[in-house]
Amino acid sequence: MAANILIALGSNRRHGRFGSPAGVVEAAVVALAEAGFAVVRRSRIHATAAFGPGGRSYANAVVEVASALALPEVLVRLKAIERAFGRRGGRRWGARVLDLDILAQGDAVLPSRLGWRGARAGLVVPHPGIALRRFVLDPLVEVAPGWRHPVLGATSRQLRARLLRRG
């Protein structure tokens, strides 16, 4: 059986049904379970400053889920959940009701060890921004402190410590 999947959740826009971004993240965890993902662990919801020129603060969390699906099918389901919450394409750093990103699945590396600059399109695992984003690392450490990045060779706890030292 494949390793569990780590998924980042984020919202910085209110939703008519679920309310605040934190309410959107809570509802998204339920939606993941309803879509067939067994939620194994979840972080608390972190309030974080905007990343990039989006301007609005975020609610962020990480969940670990179990699924027998291949990662491309996981991505399809995550995108369907985003659409169900009202996510539409648009500006890269724009406000969004819900953002779901596959962070990692054990030591899987897709599509290659080139990382995000070498593989710009499609599914890239582990997520290329993990080591650079505290809003991902803080909740990731709560869920999977010992997960080891298969390209960088450091645990999520070590990646967070490195980022904090950089300031």
Side-chain angles (χ1 to χ4, degrees), residues 77-119:
R77 290 202 186 180
L78 296 184
K79 295 303 176 191
I81 293 169
E82 288 178 344
R83 284 190 305 278
F85 274 70
R87 171 91 184 256
R88 301 292 176 258
R91 291 188 355 235
R92 178 173 180 180
W93 300 111
R96 57 196 64 188
V97 173
L98 180 62
D99 190 23
L100 299 172
D101 289 321
I102 298 171
L103 296 177
Q105 183 183 40
D107 62 359
V109 178
L110 296 174
S112 70
R113 292 193 178 270
L114 294 174
W116 66 334
R117 300 207 193 283

Side-chain angles (χ1 to χ4, degrees), residues 20 23 30 43 61 69 78 88 90 99-100 114 125 133 163-164:
S20 70
V30 173
S43 72
L69 296 173
L78 296 184
R88 301 292 176 258
D99 190 23
L100 299 172
L114 294 174
V125 174
R133 298 176 178 169
L163 186 64
L164 292 175

Side-chain angles (χ1 to χ4, degrees), residues 100-150:
L100 299 172
D101 289 321
I102 298 171
L103 296 177
Q105 183 183 40
D107 62 359
V109 178
L110 296 174
S112 70
R113 292 193 178 270
L114 294 174
W116 66 334
R117 300 207 193 283
R120 294 189 190 278
L123 180 59
V124 179
V125 174
H127 189 286
I130 288 177
L132 307 172
R133 298 176 178 169
R134 185 169 175 189
F135 65 86
V136 171
L137 289 170
D138 285 349
L140 179 59
V141 166
E142 290 178 24
V143 171
W147 170 77
R148 185 168 300 279
H149 193 293

